[in-house]
C-alpha cells in the first residue's frame, strides 16, 4: 500500500528542511509557550490559590515537553521534491497534505526571512499562482538552498509558462 | 476609422467659448492653439505620451525623459500625427535626438497613419449628472420614511436645492473629467489617459484582455451612449465612458477579436456585420438561452436571503402584536429593515437579471441583461476558468439551476456570490445548452460519474451518496450536496495547482480529500472521501494533463497571434 502523502513521487526524493529549522522551532516552543506559562502562572498567583499556580506550571510543562518532542517529527514531515515539471510539497503530522504546483503556473516566487529566521540563517520560499487557494510554501531552508531553489524554479517556470 | 467620427466634431458644441478653435477643420489638422492658451489642457501636453514611439516598450510613462526637450511633432513615431496636440508654433525640428526617417512633413499635409487619441463622447457629463440624480432620489426614498414626520415645505425646498447643487457639481466634475480623458483604440494599441488630478496612462496589451463589457445606464441609453469596460484580470477594469452605442459595440467586437489572438485591423473589424443597435446581436450570433421571468421570481423567492427576511417580518409582527406595541414601532423597528432586505434580494436576483440573454458568437459568449440599464459582457471562451452549477434544495421541485462562470478579475457584482452569471435561473436543458455552447466537447450527463467508498458514511452522515466525481479529456467535475447541490467544472488547462489533504479520522478510515485550485471565484473544486491511492494517481495525472493542456493552448495562441504584446 503506497501512501501518496508520505512517499515521494516516482523517481524523486524528498528534500528535508535545514536542521537549523528544528533548532529554531525548539527555541520558539520554549520561548512562546514558556512565556505564556509564566504569564498565566503570575495571574494565578495574584488572583487564585497556590494549587492553581502549581497546576498551571505542571500543565504547561507537560505541554511544552510534548510539543518539544514532537518537533523533530513535524520537521521531518515537511519536505519538497522538484519534479521535472512541477514542485511537490508535503507537510503535517496530524493534518497531512501534499501540494503539487506545475512550474508553468507560478506567477511569483516569494522569498522571505524574518528576524528570528535570519538569526538561524533560514529563509522561506513561497510559490504564488493565480489561485488564492494554492498554499505552497517551504519554510526553514538554508539561505543558499533557498536562493538556488528560487533560481531553479523561476527558470523552469519561464521555460514552461502556461499563462492563463 | 480615418473618417472623422461625429463625436469628434461635436465637442465644440459643449465647450466653453474657445474662439481659437476652428470649428470646421478636419480632424487631422493642428487645430489646437499653443498649449498654454487652453486652460483645459495641462501644459505637459506638449510632450504627451500620445507621441511616444511604439518601439519604446515602456510607453505608458507619462513623462518620458528625452535627452533634451523635443516637441512631440518630432518623434518619429507613426502616432506623431496626433496633430491635435503639438502647437503649430512649436520650434522647428532642428536637433532631433531620434533618427527621423525623412524630413518631417507638416502634420496637415499627410493624413494621419493612426487615429489620434480622442475624448469620449461630449454628452458623458450629462449621463453622470443623471446617474447622480438617480442616486440622490434613491437615497432620499430610503430615508424619507424615517424623516416623513418632521417634513414641511421649506424642508422639501431645501432638499431639492441641495440635490440640484450636488447634481450640478457632479456634472461639472464630469465635464472636467471628460475634458481630461483621452483614449486611443488603434490597430497597434489600446490606451486610456487621464490627466485630471491624478495623471495616468493605461496601455492595455490586447492579449491580456479577459472580457469586454458594454454598459448602458438608463440615461446613456436614452442618449444612445454606452460605456466600454475592459477587464484585464487586475482587480479593477478599465472604463471608457461614454461612446456612441454602435461605436462601443464595434470596438467591443474588435477588442475581443484581438484578445482572442486574431490579427485583425480596425478597418477589417468595421467591415464585419454589426450588431443591431438595440439588441446587441450580430447576424450570425446564436441565442443559447433566454431567462424566463417566472423562473427568476421562483429562484428569488426561494432563496435563503428572501426567506430569512420574510421570517423576520413575520416574527416582528407577531412579537409586536403579542407585546401590544404601537404599530409604528413594530413597522419601523422590526419589519422595515427586513422588508428592505427582501426588496434587495428581489432587486439583485430579479431586476438586475431581467431579460438575461446568453449568446454564442463566433469568438466567444456574451451575456446581456437589464431592464432600464443594459449590460452586456463578452468574453473569449478560453478565458473561462471554471463553471459552477448550483441548485438550492427548494429549487429542486421546479428543476431550476443557476450557473456561474469564473473569469479572471471580473468585477464583484452585487450578486449573492461572485462569478459571472451564465444562467441566472434555468432548467436542466438550459444548463446543458449553456455548457454545450461553451464547451461542446463535454456533455454533463454523459460523463462517467464515480461515487465514494461506503466507509465514508462514518465521516459524512448526510448524503455521502450524492458525492460524485467525473473526468474526461477536457475537464474534471465534482458534484454533491443536499441543501445546496453543486457541480464544479474545471478544464484541465485552467488548473493552477492540486493538493491532497488528510485529517486524522480520514487516515483511520484510509480516505483523503483532493482539491483542485483555480482562480478566485464561484468554483471550489474538492473531492472528499477518496481512496488515498486514487487521490495520488489522480493528482499526478491531473498535473500532467494540466501541463499538457496549458502547453497546447499556449502554442495555439502564440501561433495565432502576431501581436507584439505576446512578448509581455
Amino acid at each position: 500500500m503506497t501512501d501518496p502523502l508520505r512517499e515521494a513521487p516516482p523517481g524523486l526524493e524528498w528534500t528535508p528542511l535545514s536542521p537549523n529549522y528544528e533548532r529554531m522551532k525548539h527555541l520558539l516552543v520554549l520561548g512562546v509557550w514558556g512565556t505564556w506559562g509564566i504569564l498565566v502562572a503570575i495571574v494565578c498567583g495574584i488572583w487564585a490559590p497556590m494549587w492553581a499556580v502549581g497546576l498551571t506550571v505542571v500543565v504547561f510543562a507537560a505541554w511544552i515537553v510534548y510539543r518539544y518532542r514532537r518537533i523533530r517529527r513535524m520537521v521531518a514531515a515537511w519536505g519538497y521534491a522538484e519534479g521535472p515539471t512541477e514542485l511537490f510539497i508535503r507537510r503535517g503530522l496530524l493534518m497531512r497534505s501534499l501540494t503539487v504546483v506545475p512550474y508553468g503556473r507560478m506567477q511569483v516566487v516569494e522569498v522571505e526571512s524574518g528576524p528570528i529566521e535570519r538569526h538561524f540563517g533560514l529563509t522561506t520560499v513561497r510559490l504564488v499562482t493565480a489561485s488564492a487557494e494554492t498554499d505552497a510554501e517551504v519554510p526553514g531552508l538554508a539561505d543558499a538552498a533557498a536562493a538556488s531553489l528560487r533560481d531553479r524554479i523561476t527558470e523552469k517556470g519561464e521555460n514552461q509558462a502556461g499563462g492563463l | 476609422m480615418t473618417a472623422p467620427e461625429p463625436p469628434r466634431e461635436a465637442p465644440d458644441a459643449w465647450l466653453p467659448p474657445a474662439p481659437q478653435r476652428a470649428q470646421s477643420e478636419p480632424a487631422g489638422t493642428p487645430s489646437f492653439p499653443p498649449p498654454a492658451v487652453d486652460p483645459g489642457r495641462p501644459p505637459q501636453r506638449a510632450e504627451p505620451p500620445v507621441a511616444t514611439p511604439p518601439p519604446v516598450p515602456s510607453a505608458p510613462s507619462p513623462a518620458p525623459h528625452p535627452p533634451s526637450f523635443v516637441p512631440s511633432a518630432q518623434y518619429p513615431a507613426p502616432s506623431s500625427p496626433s496633430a491635435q496636440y503639438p502647437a503649430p508654433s512649436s520650434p522647428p525640428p532642428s536637433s532631433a535626438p531620434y533618427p527621423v526617417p525623412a524630413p518631417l512633413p507638416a502634420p496637415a499635409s499627410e493624413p494621419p497613419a493612426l487615429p489620434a487619441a480622442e475624448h469620449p463622447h461630449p454628452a458623458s457629463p450629462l449621463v453622470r449628472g443623471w446617474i447622480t440624480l438617480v442616486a440622490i432620489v434613491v437615497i432620499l426614498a430610503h430615508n424619507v420614511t424615517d424623516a416623513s414626520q418632521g417634513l414641511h415645505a421649506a424642508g422639501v425646498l431645501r432638499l431639492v436645492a441641495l440635490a440640484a447643487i450636488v447634481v450640478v457639481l457632479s456634472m461639472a466634475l464630469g465635464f472636467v473629467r471628460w475634458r481630461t480623458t483621452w483614449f486611443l483604440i488603434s490597430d497597434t494599441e489600446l490606451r486610456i489617459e487621464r490627466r485630471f488630478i491624478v495623471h495616468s496612462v493605461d496601455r492595455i496589451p490586447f492579449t491580456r484582455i479577459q472580457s469586454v463589457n458594454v454598459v448602458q445606464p438608463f440615461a446613456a441609453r436614452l442618449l444612445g451612449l454606452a460605456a466600454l469596460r475592459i477587464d484585464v484580470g487586475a482587480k479593477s477594469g478599465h472604463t471608457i465612458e461614454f461612446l456612441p452605442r454602435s461605436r462601443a459595440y464595434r470596438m467591443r467586437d474588435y477588442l475581443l477579436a484581438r484578445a482572442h489572438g486574431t490579427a485583425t485591423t480596425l478597418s477589417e473589424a468595421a467591415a464585419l456585420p454589426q450588431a443591431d443597435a438595440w439588441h446587441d446581436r450580430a447576424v450570425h450570433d446564436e441565442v443559447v438561452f433566454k431567462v424566463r421571468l417566472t423562473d427568476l421570481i421562483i429562484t428569488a423567492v426561494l432563496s435563503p436571503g428572501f426567506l430569512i427576511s420574510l421570517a423576520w417580518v413575520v416574527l416582528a409582527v407577531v412579537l409586536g402584536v403579542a407585546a401590544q406595541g404601537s404599530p409604528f414601532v413594530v413597522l419601523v423597528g422590526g419589519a422595515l429593515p427586513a422588508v428592505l432586505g427582501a426588496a434587495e434580494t428581489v432587486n439583485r436576483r430579479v431586476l438586475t437579471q431581467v431579460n438575461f440573454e446568453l449568446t454564442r458568437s463566433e469568438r466567444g459568449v456574451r451575456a446581456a441583461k437589464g431592464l432600464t440599464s443594459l449590460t452586456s459582457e463578452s468574453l473569449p471562451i478560453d478565458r473561462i476558468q471554471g463553471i459552477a452549477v448550483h441548485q438550492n434544495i427548494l429549487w429542486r421541485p421546479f428543476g431550476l439551476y443557476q450557473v456561474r462562470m469564473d473569469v479572471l478579475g471580473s468585477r464583484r457584482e452585487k450578486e449573492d456570490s461572485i462569478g459571472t452569471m451564465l444562467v441566472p435561473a434555468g432548467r436542466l436543458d438550459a444548463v446543458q445548452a449553456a455548457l454545450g455552447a461553451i464547451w461542446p466537447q463535454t456533455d454533463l450527463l454523459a460523463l462517467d460519474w464515480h461515487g465514494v467508498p461506503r466507509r465514508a458514511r462514518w465521516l459524512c452522515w448526510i448524503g455521502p451518496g450524492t458525492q460524485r466525481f467525473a473526468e474526461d479529456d477536457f475537464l474534471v467535475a465534482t458534484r454533491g450536496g443536499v441543501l445546496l447541490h453543486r457541480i464544479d467544472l474545471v478544464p484541465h488547462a485552467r488548473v493552477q495547482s492540486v493538493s491532497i489533504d488528510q485529517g486524522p479520522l480520514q487516515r483511520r478510515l484510509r480516505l483523503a480529500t483532493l482539491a483542485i485550485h483555480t482562480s478566485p471565484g464561484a468554483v471550489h473544486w474538492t473531492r472528499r472521501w477518496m481512496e488515498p491511492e486514487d487521490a495520488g494517481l489522480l493528482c499526478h495525472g491531473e498535473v500532467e494533463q494540466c501541463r499538457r493542456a496549458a502547453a497546447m493552448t499556449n502554442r495555439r495562441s502564440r501561433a495565432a497571434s502576431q501581436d507584439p504584446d505576446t512578448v509581455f
Side-chain angles (χ1 to χ4, degrees):
Chain A
M1 278 292 130
T2 59
D3 182 357
L5 288 153
R6 292 293 94 182
E7 281 173 29
L12 296 177
E13 290 287 320
W14 292 119
T15 313
L17 305 184
S18 157
N20 271 359
Y21 186 62
E22 203 178 309
R23 262 171 238 142
M24 186 182 89
K25 278 290 184 187
H26 279 149
L27 190 82
L28 279 180
V29 163
L30 288 182
V32 172
W33 289 112
T35 312
W36 275 113
I38 291 168
L39 282 178
V40 174
I42 289 173
V43 169
C44 286
I46 297 172
W47 283 292
M50 272 322 276
W51 61 262
V53 178
L55 187 70
T56 308
V57 169
V58 169
V59 165
F60 269 91
W63 177 248
I64 287 173
V65 168
Y66 169 72
R67 298 294 301 179
Y68 194 91
R69 291 167 57 91
R70 206 176 153 75
I71 277 173
R72 175 176 294 276
R73 289 173 58 213
M74 274 176 70
V75 172
W78 271 97
Y80 69 95
E82 288 174 73
T85 54
E86 57 268 322
L87 186 74
F88 301 83
I89 301 171
R90 66 162 193 183
R91 65 156 172 230
L93 269 181
L94 205 60
M95 300 293 295
R96 294 181 177 178
S97 101
L98 169 78
T99 305
V100 189
V101 187
Y103 296 123
R105 292 305 192 191
M106 282 181 331
Q107 296 195 314
V108 184
V109 182
E110 288 177 0
V111 176
E112 61 181 34
S113 177
I116 301 176
E117 279 181 305
R118 267 205 304 281
H119 178 75
F120 285 90
L122 295 174
T123 304
T124 300
V125 175
R126 186 178 300 119
L127 275 61
V128 180
T129 70
S131 169
E133 296 158 17
T134 304
D135 182 16
E137 73 169 25
V138 187
L141 290 173
D143 289 343
S148 69
L149 175 67
R150 177 199 60 199
D151 293 345
R152 278 196 307 276
I153 57 185
T154 313
E155 193 194 332
K156 285 175 182 162
E158 274 169 14
N159 294 336
Q160 303 170 14
L164 293 163
Chain B
M1 254 320 293
T2 46
E5 294 277 333
R8 298 168 83 186
E9 288 169 352
D12 299 303
W14 299 88
L15 289 180
Q20 312 94 321
R21 185 174 300 225
Q23 297 255 339
S24 57
E25 263 176 321
T29 45
S31 59
F32 275 63
V37 182
D38 190 341
R41 181 170 302 281
Q44 298 96 312
R45 290 316 301 181
E47 41 160 5
V50 178
T52 313
V56 180
S58 60
S61 156
H65 299 291
S68 66
F69 175 76
V70 197
S72 63
Q74 291 177 22
Y75 280 73
S79 59
S80 65
S82 54
Q84 289 177 329
Y85 303 123
S89 60
S90 56
S94 50
S95 58
Y98 296 108
V100 178
L104 205 76
S109 69
E110 206 178 54
L114 276 181
E118 54 186 308
H119 288 301
H121 194 277
S124 309
L126 277 185
V127 181
R128 282 181 179 280
W130 173 264
I131 292 172
T132 315
L133 183 64
V134 170
I136 290 173
V137 168
V138 167
I139 292 168
L140 284 184
H142 267 263
N143 292 340
V144 89
T145 40
D146 297 345
S148 53
Q149 277 69 44
L151 219 59
H152 44 84
V156 171
L157 209 64
R158 216 176 302 151
L159 270 179
V160 169
L162 198 71
I165 290 172
V166 172
V167 169
V168 168
L169 274 182
S170 106
M171 280 172 68
L173 199 71
F175 177 77
V176 177
R177 207 176 280 162
W178 167 72
R179 280 289 281 149
T180 52
T181 301
W182 285 265
F183 73 93
L184 171 62
I185 302 178
S186 76
D187 291 343
T188 49
E189 64 175 330
L190 163 59
R191 198 176 54 207
I192 304 169
E193 284 182 52
R194 295 203 166 77
R195 306 192 148 256
F196 184 25
I197 294 169
V198 175
H199 291 203
S200 71
V201 183
D202 298 327
R203 189 174 183 276
I204 304 157
F206 290 120
T207 47
R208 283 282 178 269
I209 295 175
Q210 300 287 333
S211 68
V212 183
N213 288 16
V214 177
V215 185
Q216 302 173 50
F218 185 54
R221 231 176 149 186
L222 289 182
L223 291 169
L225 299 180
L228 205 58
R229 269 201 219 144
I230 300 148
D231 215 317
V232 290
K235 272 207 181 80
S236 61
H238 302 274
T239 314
I240 303 177
E241 285 176 330
F242 288 87
L243 297 174
R245 185 190 296 122
S246 59
R247 176 127 195 261
Y249 284 151
R250 210 160 59 229
M251 289 302 145
R252 192 262 323 270
D253 292 343
Y254 169 69
L255 291 177
L256 275 181
R258 294 304 297 261
H260 210 259
T262 317
T264 179
T265 61
L266 269 175
S267 42
E268 275 172 32
L272 288 175
Q274 288 311 312
D276 169 358
W278 280 102
H279 292 99
D280 185 14
R281 193 188 305 158
V283 187
H284 42 253
D285 285 0
E286 167 203 353
V287 177
V288 176
F289 167 73
K290 254 182 146 157
V291 80
R292 292 207 321 230
L293 188 59
T294 46
D295 289 350
L296 276 180
I297 293 173
I298 292 172
T299 51
V301 168
L302 294 180
S303 69
F306 189 86
L307 291 178
I308 290 172
S309 299
L310 202 67
W312 188 254
V313 172
V314 171
L315 194 73
V317 170
V318 167
L319 283 183
V321 169
Q324 293 177 348
S326 79
F328 180 76
V329 171
V330 170
L331 210 66
V332 173
L336 197 65
V339 168
L340 287 180
E344 213 271 318
T345 308
V346 169
N347 175 47
R348 201 182 54 215
R349 284 190 176 260
V350 181
L351 295 185
T352 60
Q353 306 291 342
V354 165
N355 295 337
F356 185 97
E357 189 178 276
L358 185 72
T359 326
R360 176 79 165 93
S361 65
E362 226 178 319
R363 297 205 172 84
V365 282
R366 174 163 62 240
K369 62 187 178 190
L371 189 62
T372 53
S373 59
L374 197 67
T375 311
S376 99
E377 171 157 17
S378 315
L379 60 152
I381 297 286
D382 59 3
R383 296 290 199 259
I384 297 173
Q385 307 282 329
I387 287 188
V389 184
H390 288 188
Q391 186 182 48
N392 185 328
I393 191 172
L394 297 172
W395 301 347
R396 191 168 297 172
F398 302 93
L400 287 172
Y401 295 86
Q402 191 173 63
V403 187
R404 291 202 190 86
M405 57 186 166
D406 283 350
V407 181
L408 270 191
S410 64
R411 290 149 308 286
R412 306 291 178 251
E413 288 169 33
K414 277 195 175 170
E415 290 164 7
D416 56 334
S417 176
I418 41 187
T420 307
M421 206 57 95
L422 200 57
V423 174
R427 302 203 157 68
L428 192 59
D429 54 340
V431 175
Q432 276 185 297
L435 284 174
I438 288 170
W439 297 328
Q441 58 270 63
T442 295
D443 181 6
L444 204 56
L445 298 183
L447 286 175
D448 181 18
W449 294 95
H450 303 284
V452 297
R454 286 189 69 83
R455 59 183 185 280
R457 279 163 204 281
W458 292 105
L459 290 179
C460 175
W461 299 336
I462 303 167
T466 63
Q467 301 283 339
R468 293 278 186 280
F469 161 85
E471 80 173 319
D472 67 5
D473 293 343
F474 178 72
L475 53 69
V476 278
T478 54
R479 59 184 295 178
V482 174
L483 288 180
L484 178 70
H485 192 86
R486 52 183 303 156
I487 309 174
D488 292 284
L489 307 166
V490 178
H492 295 304
R494 297 283 165 263
V495 173
Q496 297 293 327
S497 62
V498 186
S499 73
I500 309 176
D501 296 274
Q502 193 180 46
L505 290 178
Q506 279 184 321
R507 186 156 55 255
R508 192 62 54 83
L509 289 167
R510 294 206 336 95
L511 293 169
T513 301
L514 182 75
I516 286 179
H517 308 137
T518 60
S519 66
V523 175
H524 296 285
W525 200 104
T526 47
R527 183 181 174 198
R528 295 184 185 82
W529 337 122
M530 287 188 76
E531 307 269 0
E533 295 80 34
D534 290 357
L537 286 178
L538 198 63
C539 175
H540 293 296
E542 186 52 46
V543 168
E544 173 65 23
Q545 237 162 341
C546 145
R547 195 172 54 76
R548 222 174 325 146
M552 213 155 74
T553 46
N554 227 26
R555 259 203 308 282
R556 207 171 48 221
S557 70
R558 261 194 210 135
S561 149
Q562 282 115 44
D563 196 336
D565 292 326
T566 319
V567 299
F568 276 82

